[in-house]
Amino acid sequence: MSMHKPFAITLDVGSSLANHTGSWRTSRPVYVDRLPPCNAACPAGEDIQGWLYHAESGDYEAAWRVLVRDNPMPAVMGRVCYHSCEPACNRGQLDQAVSIHAVERFLGDEARSHGWRFRRDAPRSGKRVLVVGAGPSGLAAAYHLALFGHEVEIHEAGPMAGGMLRFGIPKYRLPRDVLDAEIARILDLGIALRLDTKVHRILDSMRAGRFDAAFLAVGAHLAKRTYIPAGTAAKVLDAVSVLRSMEGAEPPLLGRRVVVYGGGNTALDVARTAKRLGAEEAIIVYRRTRARMPAHEFEVEEALQEGILIKWLATIREAGDGAITVERMVLDQHGFPQPTGELDTIAADSLVLALGQEVDLSLLEAVPGLAVEDGVVRVDTGMMTGHAGIFAGGDMVPAERNVTVAIGHGKKAARHIDAWLRGTTYQPREKHQRADFARLNPWYYADAPQTVQPALDILRRQSTFDEVQGGLDESNAMFEARRCLSCGNCFECDNCYGVCPDNAVVKLGPGLRFRFDYDYCKGCGLCAAECPCGAIEMVPEAI
Amino acid sequence: MSTQPIKFYQTDTFTVGNRLLAPHERSVQADPRRANALNCGHRACQGCGEALGARYAIDAAMRASGGRLIAANATGCLEVFSTPYPETSWQIPWIHSLFGNVAAVATGIAAALKVKGQGDVRVVAQGGDGGTTDIGFGCLSGMFERNDDVLYICYDNEAYMNTGVQRSSATPPAARTATTAVHGPEPGNVFGQGKNLPWIAMAHGIPYVATATVADLRDLEAKVQRAMAFRGARYVHILVPCPLGWGTAPDETIRIARLAKETGLFPVYEAEYGEITRTLKLRKPLPVEDYLRPQKRFAHLFMPEPRREVITRIQRLANRNIRRFGLYEERPWDAGALDALRSGSDA
């Protein structure tokens, strides 16, 4: 310290860094990750926000690699998934939901055109797993099991892999080259696929192949029937075999006027297929109203655009020769259809029943410990049946039946099978708290309405099996990805770093996010209030 | 197939930073090497708008001047909380002046630099609304009139906060302060003409005048950068909410500043040589009530009964700003929003 200071000066100049204003704080900001509603709604457990983050900056391969951590078939799922993520999307409360499925499809198509492959890094475990059924659930399980290092063999009863993706979903929704490419990429992991190999007794097959565990994923390929009095010349078919025969050399002969009985997505698929095969009239008969139809609204809308007729509130009484008799129904006070006794006649060359499907569970006979209820197998929270080492998923277990659920089952089962094979238990990570819209600061998001996917023109839709929905091009896909609000997950917008009046936020660099300097943070909460995506929480200090 | 150009940047420039923007398009505050002219450890209240505004503005001026900058600082909150003897939070050459003479001190520094042939070193004068619109007004007008080469920045928190929230000539009508008590037929500050300093600065015909708020960093930085491109007298007026004096929560500072702009009560614009060159449009016009209600200094307008006639008078002030500055261009998705505001205030 100098002895000669100016008049009235006794202290050297110091920095205010000596003054730790952090001691003023009564609550502290903490960085958190919250669960975006899209991720929470995805039956396959995709980290949607996570892969959109990479797509936003145009790094599509990184986006695809994050996506396939959970779902090995993005090009397929971007087309056929019913995207329950989108109604959940917080952006829907701003303008419209992010078109997640369209970006997923774009990434899947990019992967195909660039030839991106899966990487198998895990050391070989020496364990063998039998997967029964090469549908979405079986393929997903096989993929994850292979990545865990296990040797996987798929036994498929049919002549081709794909299960319901191939035999249940028409080409105009899922072109077969897309499906074939994604299956081939999975099998390239070294997974053995044995076609035309029906498993009659699961325990026998496991013993014969020296398998350590099995995952059963048999699809619901048996059509439910109902008794309808039919004339000798009446042509009555079921939806499953009609759609299945579309994959063979001979398309089904349905005639000029086709009646489809049922109100699910399969009924619509059959009617739209019949129209494309040249039917002049394709009529769906359904016993309740449009509002109560189990089919998805967009499929009903597309079918109506293509000229499919729907007869609401009607049941089929009799299938005659060249015509069917229907009875008009009314809904009672509980919403159940009740007969009126009034009959109508509809001209029809064929009647296709689309009344639901069941699983052939015969392979489970004589397996000790297994419990079957309502035509499905009971499994525990780890997807394991009552018989140790035998797991099941997809249509075989009690759950909503759709391809995304099936893929999710495959992933979940694979994790539990892997743990079981290693003599441990799989502990799922604790779920983050939900990133609800109320947690966001939507001021910061620029206005940008949803990008519309191009649709095939109506004449080609009525006469060909070309894909109805088009894809987004690169600029549209990036635009759409950038509509993501990144709910609950820091996307490094620098707002906290900028708005802190005390310079108490440390920027750690690209990808590394930020850190609070609690020596100086006064706990004003501006960072939390101005965080667009709700990734900062104010936590009371213990005082 | 319809195509849209990739122009959408998710949060655009609303957020401080944006990883999707090219590096040269990013803000000063997003830069990890920003000057941090006003460093940690200062004694401003939690959520201080002035501390935030000062770092925004001086960091931007530092970038524009290549780090060759001297600041003169009027007495007031900013000076008191940043330099309690013997500490300083300033990481630039900085001098404290009297309450009323910062414009003159800065003028002197600029003159001295000129004499010494150091014209590349730039000079900033800064003060609060008290030191600017009241006490330092004479010196400031002189600086404008002589066109001295100084950027004057006023951090306007609409009263004398440092001494205990006394009214200034920048205090808005109806606001409660320590000297505009809430009683009588017209509680709070009077409905006068106020003292519209940006307007007065424009009347001097100086090269550059701008208003800004701490709610729009990119706009604020662009204005400081623009101001630094001129030589001569320049004036930037920044609205900086004060949690203490306005009676708001510390985490509301930016939201309140945003509401001041979005209601039209604080018009954000810039002018060159006395002519307005650009106004910042309202993104979403909002009723003044949204701005007034969260602030305790306006609590008497809502309790025990809402004083509709006073709120309507304030709405008319906002409507006049919207009209006078052309603050709003109707877009398809919020058609009729302005009419809704006007119908409530028949103006």
Side-chain angles (χ1 to χ4, degrees):
Chain A
M1 206 190 229
S2 162
M3 295 296 288
H4 302 285
K5 291 187 181 299
F7 174 72
I9 300 292
T10 53
L11 297 172
D12 285 326
V13 173
S15 163
S16 64
L17 291 176
N19 184 30
H20 285 191
T21 51
S23 62
W24 303 11
R25 201 170 53 236
T26 55
S27 60
R28 65 165 59 198
V30 176
Y31 289 107
V32 292
D33 284 299
R34 294 187 192 280
L35 179 63
C38 51
N39 294 15
C42 178
E46 283 187 22
D47 181 8
I48 295 166
Q49 178 275 326
W51 55 256
L52 282 172
Y53 177 84
H54 294 289
E56 283 152 25
S57 55
D59 190 348
Y60 302 121
E61 182 168 356
W64 181 80
R65 295 213 175 270
V66 173
L67 203 171
V68 298
R69 275 186 216 153
D70 298 296
N71 182 346
M73 308 181 89
V76 169
M77 300 308 292
R79 288 172 165 84
V80 304
C81 173
Y82 292 121
H83 39 81
S84 48
C85 49
E86 292 182 23
C89 174
N90 277 335
R91 179 130 206 157
Q93 296 182 53
L94 268 189
D95 39 38
Q96 294 140 304
V98 176
S99 187
I100 295 165
H101 75 281
V103 183
E104 176 171 40
R105 168 182 169 158
F106 170 79
L107 294 175
D109 290 349
E110 280 288 289
R112 224 181 116 204
S113 59
H114 289 92
W116 298 331
R117 323 296 310 165
F118 298 132
R119 296 177 187 139
R120 185 174 176 165
D121 302 325
R124 304 282 159 143
S125 68
K127 302 285 187 186
R128 284 170 55 73
V129 184
L130 171 63
V131 172
V132 182
S137 203
L139 287 167
Y143 161 80
H144 289 285
L145 288 165
L147 292 186
F148 282 129
H150 307 302
E151 200 179 325
V152 186
E153 199 168 299
I154 307 177
H155 290 192
E156 164 60 45
M160 282 182 280
M164 278 297 176
L165 292 171
R166 188 181 301 279
F167 298 111
I169 296 179
K171 291 185 179 111
Y172 59 82
R173 279 183 57 208
L174 177 57
R176 295 305 184 243
D177 55 338
V178 174
L179 177 62
D180 292 339
E182 294 215 317
I183 292 174
R185 191 195 288 124
I186 293 172
L187 297 179
D188 274 359
L189 285 168
I191 295 162
L193 170 66
R194 289 171 61 182
L195 298 170
D196 297 312
T197 307
K198 185 167 163 66
V199 172
H200 295 285
R201 293 284 181 271
I202 180 61
L203 292 177
D204 293 349
S205 294
M206 286 179 73
R207 206 173 302 119
R210 289 177 290 103
F211 291 105
D212 302 289
F215 178 62
L216 313 181
V218 179
H221 292 280
L222 298 183
K224 280 188 189 164
R225 306 290 298 218
T226 185
Y227 175 71
I228 294 172
T232 47
K235 191 176 177 84
V236 181
L237 303 148
D238 70 75
V240 182
S241 34
V242 169
L243 291 174
R244 174 177 288 267
S245 62
M246 289 300 298
E247 294 304 306
E250 293 285 312
L253 297 170
L254 299 172
R256 291 188 302 117
R257 292 163 302 185
V258 182
V259 170
V260 182
Y261 192 24
N265 292 315
T266 308
L268 292 164
D269 287 343
V270 171
R272 295 173 73 183
T273 296
K275 192 87 184 171
R276 285 166 172 78
L277 286 173
E280 283 167 19
E281 272 183 14
I283 304 171
I284 289 171
V285 174
Y286 178 55
R287 64 199 173 98
R288 296 193 291 184
T289 58
R290 181 167 181 174
R292 294 176 179 276
M293 204 174 191
H296 285 87
E297 182 56 31
F298 82 92
E299 292 216 54
V300 179
E301 195 51 49
E302 283 183 5
L304 292 171
Q305 285 168 11
E306 290 168 15
I308 308 295
L309 304 173
I310 305 182
K311 191 159 181 62
W312 309 105
L313 286 168
T315 55
I316 295 182
R317 294 291 300 273
E318 197 179 334
D321 190 5
I324 59 161
T325 307
V326 301
E327 178 173 2
R328 287 187 213 160
M329 310 295 278
V330 287
L331 291 188
D332 65 16
Q333 59 196 27
H334 306 294
F336 290 108
Q338 300 297 343
T340 61
E342 297 168 41
L343 301 179
D344 285 328
T345 304
I346 304 175
D349 297 320
S350 61
L351 168 64
V352 183
L353 304 179
L355 301 168
Q357 287 127 256
E358 292 169 319
V359 182
D360 176 2
L361 294 174
S362 60
L363 79 165
L364 298 175
E365 279 168 31
V367 177
L370 267 184
V372 173
E373 266 170 29
D374 298 329
V376 286
V377 184
R378 204 195 291 164
V379 287
D380 64 15
T381 52
M383 309 301 287
M384 190 156 78
T385 66
H387 189 96
I390 298 183
F391 297 73
D395 291 349
M396 290 189 81
V397 301
E400 194 188 338
R401 280 180 180 168
N402 68 49
V403 284
T404 323
V405 169
I407 290 217
H409 283 176
K411 176 179 84 169
K412 188 176 175 191
R415 289 172 171 177
H416 287 279
I417 292 169
D418 175 64
W420 188 83
L421 288 172
R422 298 178 196 277
T424 58
T425 329
Y426 173 70
Q427 289 295 346
R429 265 192 322 173
E430 205 171 317
K431 287 235 189 301
H432 294 133
Q433 281 185 20
R434 282 286 291 267
D436 296 322
F437 189 75
R439 298 226 177 241
L440 309 180
N441 188 336
W443 167 263
Y444 288 104
Y445 298 104
D447 308 300
Q450 193 181 67
T451 315
V452 178
Q453 280 172 280
L456 197 63
D457 72 70
I458 198 74
L459 278 175
R460 283 178 63 200
R461 275 164 61 179
Q462 288 169 338
S463 56
T464 73
F465 283 87
D466 290 351
E467 194 169 14
V468 171
Q469 290 283 331
L472 300 179
D473 66 16
E474 198 253 333
S475 63
N476 282 339
M478 184 188 274
F479 183 92
E480 198 55 34
R482 287 175 173 185
R483 296 183 63 248
C484 174
L485 308 181
S486 192
C487 305
N489 289 270
C490 174
F491 59 108
E492 298 188 10
C493 74
D494 294 327
N495 247 22
C496 52
Y497 181 60
V499 303
C500 176
D502 294 288
N503 189 29
V505 178
V506 183
K507 182 169 172 169
L508 300 175
L512 303 173
R513 299 185 172 182
F514 308 86
R515 172 173 72 74
F516 289 112
D517 185 345
Y518 293 116
D519 282 349
Y520 299 103
C521 167
K522 294 171 185 164
C524 69
L526 266 176
C527 53
E530 300 304 322
C531 175
C533 67
I536 300 175
E537 187 168 35
M538 295 303 292
V539 179
E541 292 282 3
I543 303 168
Chain B
M1 170 151 201
S2 67
T3 52
Q4 280 165 292
I6 306 176
K7 223 176 112 225
F8 177 69
Y9 290 109
Q10 190 173 43
T11 55
D12 216 307
T13 51
F14 292 116
T15 45
V16 167
N18 190 333
R19 69 190 176 98
L20 303 176
L21 294 174
H24 71 273
E25 294 171 321
R26 296 180 190 173
S27 70
V28 176
Q29 286 303 309
D31 186 349
R33 293 158 305 165
R34 70 190 186 198
N36 273 325
L38 182 63
N39 206 2
C40 322
H42 63 70
R43 285 152 161 83
C45 305
Q46 293 159 319
C48 175
E50 187 168 36
L52 190 57
R55 194 186 73 227
Y56 282 179
I58 302 299
D59 281 5
M62 282 289 279
R63 181 191 269 187
S65 65
R68 297 178 70 74
L69 189 73
I70 295 174
N73 205 133
T75 297
C77 268
L78 181 61
E79 165 267 322
V80 168
F81 73 63
S82 64
T83 53
Y85 176 72
E87 291 168 11
T88 179
S89 303
W90 293 100
Q91 308 207 74
I92 58 165
W94 181 92
I95 185 170
H96 172 210
S97 76
L98 298 177
F99 216 143
N101 70 347
V102 70
V105 169
T107 294
I109 296 169
L113 288 168
K114 189 175 174 188
V115 168
K116 294 180 75 177
Q118 285 185 275
D120 59 322
V121 179
R122 309 298 301 273
V123 182
V124 169
Q126 51 183 352
D129 52 294
T132 304
T133 69
D134 291 349
I135 307 175
F137 183 64
C139 289
L140 180 60
S141 179
M143 185 197 108
F144 288 161
E145 173 270 321
R146 294 185 303 271
N147 199 25
D148 296 322
D149 186 19
V150 173
L151 167 59
Y152 192 105
I153 303 173
C154 171
Y155 305 106
D156 179 9
N157 56 18
E158 302 189 332
Y160 289 83
M161 301 312 186
N162 175 43
T163 50
V165 198
Q166 293 84 9
R167 111 180 246 293
S168 78
S169 55
T171 301
R176 184 195 65 189
T177 66
T179 47
T180 53
V182 178
H183 60 71
E186 292 201 353
N189 196 27
V190 291
F191 275 80
Q193 293 305 307
K195 198 189 275 187
N196 188 334
L197 209 68
W199 212 239
I200 294 168
M202 282 167 62
H204 287 78
I206 59 173
Y208 187 76
V209 173
T211 65
T213 78
V214 285
D216 195 337
L217 167 75
R218 300 300 299 258
D219 175 70
L220 192 162
E221 286 187 351
K223 283 168 176 167
V224 171
Q225 193 181 358
R226 180 78 185 141
M228 294 295 285
F230 290 93
R231 291 283 180 166
R234 292 142 287 146
Y235 180 73
V236 174
H237 188 105
I238 304 173
L239 185 73
V240 290
C242 171
L244 176 79
W246 296 16
T248 51
D251 67 352
E252 288 183 308
T253 300
I254 291 175
R255 188 173 76 91
I256 293 293
R258 183 179 301 137
L259 288 167
K261 180 241 167 187
E262 291 299 312
T263 53
L265 279 175
F266 186 84
V268 180
Y269 58 92
E270 59 190 325
E272 294 179 12
Y273 302 104
E275 300 289 338
I276 289 182
T277 52
R278 195 175 69 95
T279 57
L280 202 58
K281 305 296 177 200
L282 306 189
R283 190 172 174 209
K284 190 176 193 292
L286 295 170
V288 293
E289 197 174 325
D290 288 10
Y291 170 71
L292 302 172
R293 201 181 268 278
Q295 304 183 46
K296 287 207 186 77
R297 63 175 174 160
F298 295 113
H300 57 280
L301 301 184
F302 301 95
M303 287 189 305
E305 300 280 292
R307 298 179 66 109
R308 286 284 155 216
E309 73 291 352
V310 183
I311 298 168
T312 301
R313 263 181 104 176
I314 297 172
Q315 182 67 56
R316 283 201 199 109
L317 295 176
N319 293 352
R320 190 180 66 168
N321 283 338
I322 292 171
R323 190 174 60 245
R324 179 193 273 180
F325 294 96
L327 294 180
Y328 185 61
E329 279 166 9
E330 195 160 75
R331 291 152 309 176
W333 58 86
D334 48 21
L338 202 56
D339 291 340
L341 296 184
R342 285 192 179 132
S343 65
S345 55
D346 38 65

